[in-house]
Amino acid sequence: MNYQEIFAKFPANEWERFEKAQIRLFNIVKKIIERHQVKYFMDCGTLLGIIRDDKLIYGDNDMDIAIMFEDVKRSFISHLLELGLLDHNRSNDLYHYSKDEIIAMLNGKEVVSKILCIKNPKMFGSFFGGKYTPTVDVSIFVDNGKNLVCGYGNKRFRFREQSDFTKTKLINCYLGEVSIPENPERWIEVLYGPSWRTPNPGFDENKECNELVKKNGRELYITPAKRTFRFVE
């Protein structure tokens, strides 16, 4: 069931209610990031919405932030845990860190690069019959010497070209001042293709992004990017 079919069953203002809760969660996460001086940039559909529409893309069910592996701080993760914002109850989740993996990370153990899932339905609500919960996904990228990669489970990885993350810049948008890649248009094109400027309500990220990876001649499956977190503080 796509989001249009889901939304049709609820009042017209349900999206507006979700959007307000989503942005409220993001603002809290952003303050925590800034408090712990973690270098970040907006990513995926959230970055696309900022550059193309200056708003949250209608139907998007989360917000996306990216952090380089070496920029992750123990204090940042601990703060999220203390506030009850890390969703880590799925022990076999191939996409997001489990509780055991987060503990291993904090203890300096080797872990696969995945995603920190930030959400709390009790604090920020649940919408569209529980199908939409305000969520901020923090992708942790590893530089493998050729590309920037973020692990989805044991084999499937998201790719970014190294040259697209040499620098970041600040931009004012509907979220206030946020950090984005210096060349956001190129960054978005790597993920969504050259037609990204035209909204596509039927866009299937998993299918179409995988096709882009193959078309660009990059491997879809590579060896997991395991790293040991060595926190500076």
Side-chain angles (χ1 to χ4, degrees):
M1 182 179 293
N2 61 34
Y3 75 86
Q4 292 102 327
E5 294 172 328
I6 295 172
F7 288 9
K9 300 179 180 181
F10 294 87
N13 69 341
E14 185 76 351
W15 170 257
E16 182 180 350
R17 293 177 60 244
F18 167 76
E19 185 178 33
K20 288 180 178 179
Q22 177 67 85
I23 292 174
R24 184 163 65 91
L25 171 60
F26 169 78
N27 286 334
I28 290 173
V29 174
K30 182 171 176 279
K31 287 180 180 178
I32 296 172
I33 285 175
E34 292 172 344
R35 175 177 174 178
H36 297 283
Q37 298 181 324
V38 176
K39 183 179 179 182
Y40 79 98
F41 65 96
M42 307 308 298
D43 193 21
C44 294
T46 309
L47 178 63
L48 174 61
I50 289 172
I51 300 301
R52 188 184 66 194
D53 311 313
D54 196 23
K55 64 181 181 181
L56 185 66
I57 294 177
Y58 188 70
D60 200 351
N61 63 355
D62 63 16
M63 298 185 79
D64 303 286
I65 293 174
I67 297 175
M68 290 300 296
F69 199 93
E70 58 268 24
D71 294 324
V72 179
K73 292 186 178 181
R74 188 194 307 272
S75 60
F76 167 63
I77 297 174
S78 297
H79 197 163
L80 292 172
L81 279 172
E82 290 169 7
L83 294 179
L85 293 177
L86 278 181
D87 180 38
H88 49 51
N89 295 318
R90 296 163 293 184
S91 59
N92 295 317
D93 194 321
L94 295 178
Y95 300 90
H96 304 94
Y97 286 112
S98 68
K99 184 174 183 179
D100 288 344
E101 287 172 320
I102 291 173
I103 292 173
M105 181 193 304
L106 292 173
N107 289 332
K109 302 292 181 62
E110 188 177 65
V111 294
V112 174
S113 173
K114 288 187 181 181
I115 297 171
L116 290 170
C117 182
I118 301 174
K119 68 178 181 180
N120 187 320
K122 292 182 179 179
M123 294 174 63
F124 298 95
S126 186
F127 304 84
F128 297 105
K131 295 186 181 299
Y132 273 55
T133 299
T135 302
V136 175
D137 276 343
V138 179
S139 299
I140 299 180
F141 280 91
V142 170
D143 183 345
N144 71 356
K146 182 179 180 182
N147 293 289
L148 302 179
V149 297
C150 179
Y152 277 169
N154 293 326
K155 288 187 176 180
R156 181 168 172 247
F157 280 72
R158 260 203 338 251
F159 286 72
R160 300 290 191 281
E161 297 171 357
Q162 277 184 321
S163 59
D164 290 331
F165 190 70
T166 54
K167 296 179 181 178
T168 60
K169 64 181 180 181
L170 296 175
I171 186 175
N172 284 305
C173 65
Y174 75 98
L175 295 170
E177 188 178 69
V178 296
S179 177
I180 64 173
E182 187 177 55
N183 186 352
E185 291 83 3
R186 175 57 183 154
W187 188 266
I188 294 170
E189 184 177 339
V190 168
L191 181 58
Y192 296 109
S195 62
W196 63 268
R197 290 177 176 82
T198 303
N200 179 6
F203 185 81
D204 183 333
E205 181 173 358
N206 288 331
K207 178 182 177 181
E208 299 192 37
C209 290
N210 286 352
E211 289 301 316
L212 278 172
V213 170
K214 294 176 183 177
K215 183 178 179 181
N216 291 336
R218 282 171 281 173
E219 296 178 52
L220 185 58
Y221 298 104
I222 63 175
T223 303
K226 286 189 176 182
R227 295 290 188 278
T228 300
F229 283 88
R230 293 185 174 84
F231 300 103
V232 295
E233 83 280 22

